[in-house]
Every structure is written in C-alpha cells, then in structure tokens.
Amino acid sequence: MIIKRAVVLLNMGGPSNLFEVETFLKNMFYDEHILRIKSRFLRKLVGSFIVNKRLSQAQDNYKKIGGKSPITPLTFALIEKLAQKRQDLIFTYAMRYTPPYAEMVAKDLQENGVEELLLFSLYPQYSTTTTLSSIKDFKQSMHHLNFSPQTKEIVRFYDHPLFLRCIQKRISEALKDRDPKDYVLIFSAHGLPQSIIQQGDPYQKECQHHVEILKDFLHQEGMDFEDVLLSYQSRLGPMKWIEPFTEDVVKTMKGKKVLIYPLAFTIDNSETHYELDIELRQTAQESGVAEFLVCACPNESDEFVELILNLVEGELPCDIKR
C-alpha cells in the first residue's frame, strides 16, 4: 500500500552528543524569531557572542544529564507508537535546531509521494518563538524543494480535554499515594522576554488560561492542592522577562512540599531534566523546601498518543477500518 498522507511532529530538538551542543545553540540564537534583530549579519554576530559565552557551561550542564538531550529518543518512541496505531499514515518528526531538520524530512516525504501533510506543533501553547518558527521553517523547506502537498496545521492544543487528562496522569504518577492537599503545585513554563509579549505574542495569556482550566479540571478529578501557581523559567540576559520566575517562587517555599509540572513542554528535554530536576532541586534544598517533586512530560505515554491521534483524525480522516 502506498501511503500518501503524513503527519510531521515539530519541536525544537536538542543535542544528541556534546559536540552538537554548539550547533544547537547557534541555530537557536540565529533564529529571527528568538533573537529579534532584523539584520541577518548583526543577528549572527550577536548570536555568536551569546553562543561563545554560553557554550562551555551548556556542555557541562548536558554532561550532568548523560551528555545529550532526551528529546530525540523520546520523540522517536512516540513516532513508533503512533505508527503502530495508524498504519494508513506516515508519522515522522522534524526538529528546529538539530537533526532531523525540516528540509531533510520534507525531501524524504516528497520522494515518497506524499500528497497530504499535517504539520503538528508539539508546543501546547502558541508562540511566535516556537510554533511559528517551526512551521515557517518547514514551509520554507517545502518551497525550496518545490514540494506542495495539501497542508494543514495544528498549532495549539493546551485546552483539549485529552491533554488535560495527560497532565493529570503525569501529576498522579509523580504524587503516587501522596495527598495533593499537602503540596503546592507550580506550573513552570518557559519564559519569554516581555518585549515579545508586548509585540502581541499570545503565549503568556495562553499559559494563564491553561492553568485556570487545569485548576478546574484537577478539582473535578478530586485533586485539590494547597495552592496552584504559574511561574516562568529559563530567563537569559539583562532584558525584562515575564514573571514570576520559577526560581524565585521556589525560594519562598521554605517548609512546604512542592510539585513542579513543566507546562510548556510535551517531551522531556534539558530544561526539564537539568533545569528543573537538578538545578531547581538544588535551589529547593537550599531554600528549606520540605519535599520537591518534578513531573515527567507526556512523552510517549498512551494518553499523549491518544490525544495526537484524536487531533490527527479530525484533520486527516482514516481510510481504513480499525
């Protein structure tokens, strides 16, 4: 059977070894959606300065989580599970800053005669820095290849009931038999410079909305916490970033039990494994936090597979009986 329809999962990527850390950083800081400098020459100049300043520390951080990001093997495992469920579709993935790059994936789909394509952003909330950057990159690659299948996009899904269920399951797994009422639940989202939000990026509003509907959902599921908070991690440089900062919030939690959920990610990466589970854990210990738990992302879980298939079926109906 020739399969002419495909789903491409889009994400940021992450280094598969220590040598690739430099490539990852360069591609990220050369991105016009990340470093908002109109001049390509100046953007690369400033980007190179940032990379040179951060490279050694970034490599040291990756050494602490095994010398690579977990994002690629976890994404591959997700693709395999999806492919087993929907054999009438090609499932693949493209990363923004590390292989497999968009052009590599688009060329492979073109050579396989794909006629219908669904670009699926793995970022639950929409941002110009993530969702738009990935989708624009893939479409530019298609244009370069003169590859023009019928194309649809899924650009956000944070409020989908099945995604709320995914998060609730990860929280339950982290808590095990513990009582939620004993914990402060902190939804930690990747931060953005305030200037990007002021330019109209909807990310912060969508994070806030996401937390509000999660509060209601968890309450309906009988999961009531001492408190539920939203904060932002990963700030960089002297510019003003959206607040409150996760690190600062954790520092106020002396004597309390804290549970962290990485709100903006669906696949674990260096920011969950290092920034939250190592760096922030150390901050918690130094601040006298009584207990500190970090939830896993949905990753290749059955619940996340179900969500993706549900969204895909709405855009690319199934041709075969299951």
Side-chain angles (χ1 to χ4, degrees), residues 222-240:
M223 298 183 71
D224 293 311
F225 291 83
E226 179 182 341
D227 201 358
V228 178
L229 306 171
L230 169 64
S231 60
Y232 301 92
Q233 63 188 83
S234 310
R235 70 185 186 269
L236 171 68
M239 67 192 76
K240 182 173 175 56

Side-chain angles (χ1 to χ4, degrees), residues 13-31:
S16 295
N17 53 63
L18 292 177
F19 297 104
E20 210 169 62
V21 174
E22 184 174 7
T23 300
F24 173 70
L25 293 176
K26 280 184 176 179
N27 287 337
M28 181 167 60
F29 288 112
Y30 290 175
D31 184 354

Side-chain angles (χ1 to χ4, degrees), residues 223-288:
M223 298 183 71
D224 293 311
F225 291 83
E226 179 182 341
D227 201 358
V228 178
L229 306 171
L230 169 64
S231 60
Y232 301 92
Q233 63 188 83
S234 310
R235 70 185 186 269
L236 171 68
M239 67 192 76
K240 182 173 175 56
W241 285 61
I242 53 178
E243 298 181 5
F245 303 131
T246 302
E247 181 182 9
D248 293 345
V249 172
V250 168
K251 286 178 178 178
T252 69
M253 295 288 151
K254 182 178 181 180
K256 294 184 178 292
K257 297 180 178 181
V258 173
L259 175 64
I260 302 284
Y261 185 88
L263 189 71
F265 298 117
T266 53
I267 307 291
D268 276 309
N269 55 79
S270 64
E271 293 187 29
T272 59
H273 279 201
Y274 176 75
E275 208 171 307
L276 295 181
D277 211 16
I278 295 177
E279 197 171 44
L280 193 64
R281 182 180 298 279
Q282 183 176 342
T283 299
Q285 291 171 348
E286 292 171 353
S287 303

Side-chain angles (χ1 to χ4, degrees), residues 162 165-166 169-170 301-308:
L162 289 177
R165 179 69 65 191
C166 277
K169 185 71 183 297
R170 299 289 83 72
S301 65
D302 291 342
E303 296 82 14
F304 195 43
V305 168
E306 182 185 2
L307 165 70
I308 293 173

Side-chain angles (χ1 to χ4, degrees), residues 185-196:
L185 173 59
I186 301 175
F187 288 108
S188 182
H190 190 285
L192 281 183
Q194 187 67 44
S195 59
I196 292 178

